[in-house]
Amino acid sequence: MGLVRLRIREFAAKRNWTLKEVSDRSGVPYSTVKTYAVSSGMAIADVIALYKLAKTFDVLIEDLVEIVKE
């Protein structure tokens, strides 16, 4: 079973945004954005948060999510 890693830092860096700016722009709580951004792999993630983040970065959810091995 794989784990999910989110490419938040990568997309934020391309826009020169801080994680706080990502949070403000997306409406996803900062603590969630930070947790998702620093995690090397998660078993679950909030689909609504993924949708909001993908919309904020103007990418598909599939582009935001990377499957990594356990």
Side-chain angles (χ1 to χ4, degrees):
M1 178 184 222
L3 297 176
V4 174
R5 184 181 77 80
L6 301 181
R7 300 170 57 201
I8 294 171
R9 285 187 185 263
E10 179 182 333
F11 285 113
K14 286 181 181 179
R15 291 162 177 78
N16 293 317
W17 293 349
T18 65
L19 294 181
K20 176 70 171 124
E21 287 175 298
V22 172
S23 172
D24 292 343
R25 291 170 185 264
S26 67
V28 176
Y30 175 73
S31 60
T32 302
V33 171
K34 185 176 177 184
T35 298
Y36 286 178
V38 301
S39 177
S40 60
M42 301 176 296
I44 60 171
D46 178 5
V47 175
I48 300 300
L50 294 180
Y51 172 80
K52 289 178 178 181
L53 290 165
K55 187 174 177 182
T56 299
F57 291 126
D58 195 28
V59 298
L60 299 173
I61 290 176
E62 293 88 346
D63 296 331
L64 185 63
V65 174
E66 179 181 1
I67 305 298
V68 294
K69 300 261 183 192
E70 279 190 22

